[in-house]
Amino acid sequence: MLKDLTKEKVEISSAYRERIKRGWYRFSRSKLSLLGLVLATTIVLIALFAPLVAPYPEHAGPFVDFANACRPPSLSHPFGTDAMGRDILSRVFFAFRGALLMAFVVLLIVVPLGTTVGLIGGYFEGTWFSTVIMRITDVFLAVPPLVLALAIAALLRPTLMNSMIAVCVSWWPWYARLVYGMTVSLKNEPFVKAAELIGMNKFKIMFVEILPNHLGPILTKMTLDVGWVILTGASLSFVGLGEQPPTPALGTMVSDGAKYLPTYWWISVFPALMIVVIILAFNLLGDGIREMLTSGE
């Protein structure tokens, strides 16, 4: 008996490793997906070790050097300096921290919330309870996320935490609608009906039997959403509703530099390019994950 169990565990472990290898093979076939992985990993590492890799880490705080203000890109300042004489490259590295923290916290909140709402709404489709929660979801979906986030952030004190709250309120309905549609399509499948026939608890059916089938699309959407959440956070910072100076934020840096266009173009252009790079990196990574999880199934 023990020998049979050991053999079964070995077979499961071997099958799992083989599945990982096939998934990595599908992912690595795309050069763009690998580029996204490299870029995303680099951005995360820069954010984590910003004090070590930034040329002038003290420029991320309340630092002023008017003697070097508005200097163009050079070897000593690859991205140039801003109107306060601060190194833009160093401030961009530190701004990555706030941007990634925004994406991490927002997705950590909205994914479980939206997934739970979608699961309950989809499984109990046709009941008054499902109708109510999905109509509430539709009301939130009717308003563009950026507009809703701006409206909520405008009512709160401009801080990073409040901008996260604003984005969370506008983002969860997309996961609710995604999971709702998938749950409706799966709830009549034989494995779900079999679980119901043996008297399994309904919430256990939703979270143990149905939810694992949604993990692929949810993970893919999460990866794709990282860039867009960061863009939304940068938009809030651009209009003064996000992180406040002297804390570096990509949106604030773009906004401050816009005052000096086109003469001192580098002050806003380089932070804006970094926003583009972040969105591109995580979109390419998300496409690779989608390919890895769906191809060959």
Side-chain angles (χ1 to χ4, degrees):
M1 182 68 177
L2 182 59
K3 186 176 180 180
D4 292 340
L5 288 175
T6 304
K7 183 179 179 181
E8 184 178 352
K9 288 182 180 180
V10 170
E11 291 175 352
I12 293 174
S13 177
S14 178
Y16 183 70
R17 286 196 299 269
E18 185 63 27
R19 187 175 180 181
I20 292 177
K21 288 180 181 178
R22 289 199 305 268
W24 172 250
Y25 172 73
R26 290 194 294 268
F27 181 91
S28 61
R29 282 189 306 176
S30 171
K31 299 266 193 308
L32 290 177
S33 298
L34 291 175
L35 175 62
L37 177 62
V38 171
L39 287 175
T41 303
T42 302
I43 291 168
V44 172
L45 290 176
I46 288 175
L48 290 174
F49 301 104
L52 300 178
V53 299
Y56 306 93
E58 67 277 8
H59 290 199
F63 179 88
V64 175
D65 182 11
F66 289 118
N68 289 306
C70 299
R71 293 293 178 90
S74 62
L75 289 177
S76 57
H77 301 285
F79 284 8
T81 62
D82 62 13
M84 299 293 178
R86 299 171 298 193
D87 181 64
I88 295 175
L89 178 62
S90 299
R91 290 180 62 78
V92 164
F93 283 176
F94 278 89
F96 283 162
R97 288 184 157 190
L100 293 177
L101 180 62
M102 161 77 76
F104 176 78
V105 172
V106 168
L107 293 177
L108 186 65
I109 295 173
V110 302
V111 173
L113 175 61
T115 299
T116 301
V117 171
L119 270 175
I120 296 174
Y123 186 73
F124 294 102
E125 182 200 20
T127 65
W128 68 269
F129 181 71
S130 173
T131 301
V132 169
I133 62 176
M134 294 315 298
R135 293 300 76 78
I136 293 174
T137 301
D138 290 339
V139 169
F140 280 91
L141 287 173
V143 183
L146 179 57
V147 174
L148 183 58
L150 285 169
I152 296 171
L155 299 175
L156 305 173
R157 191 163 60 91
T159 64
L160 177 61
M161 181 59 66
N162 287 338
S163 63
M164 290 177 184
I165 294 172
V167 177
C168 285
V169 173
S170 64
W171 221 268
W172 69 267
W174 299 96
Y175 286 89
R177 177 54 66 180
L178 172 68
V179 175
Y180 173 83
M182 294 188 295
T183 303
V184 169
S185 66
L186 283 178
K187 72 172 190 174
N188 292 319
E189 290 293 317
F191 71 93
V192 177
K193 293 301 181 183
E196 292 174 345
L197 287 173
I198 64 174
M200 185 179 290
N201 181 275
K202 292 187 181 299
F203 283 93
K204 189 173 182 181
I205 292 174
M206 287 188 286
F207 289 96
V208 176
E209 298 294 332
I210 297 178
L211 180 58
N213 294 280
H214 300 342
L215 294 182
I218 291 173
L219 179 60
T220 301
K221 180 168 175 54
M222 285 176 61
T223 310
L224 293 172
D225 277 352
V226 169
W228 297 112
V229 170
I230 290 174
L231 178 61
T232 303
S235 301
L236 295 178
S237 297
F238 182 85
V239 297
L241 298 175
E243 291 179 278
Q244 298 300 297
T247 303
L250 294 174
T252 304
M253 295 171 72
V254 174
S255 177
D256 291 342
K259 306 170 187 174
Y260 303 98
L261 288 173
T263 306
Y264 305 122
W265 54 268
W266 56 87
I267 299 178
S268 61
V269 167
F270 285 116
L273 284 176
M274 292 303 100
I275 296 175
V276 173
V277 169
I278 291 175
I279 296 173
L280 178 65
F282 284 98
N283 278 10
L284 293 177
L285 179 60
D287 288 339
I289 292 175
R290 178 173 55 195
E291 180 73 14
M292 180 177 68
L293 295 174
T294 60
S295 295
E297 294 293 336

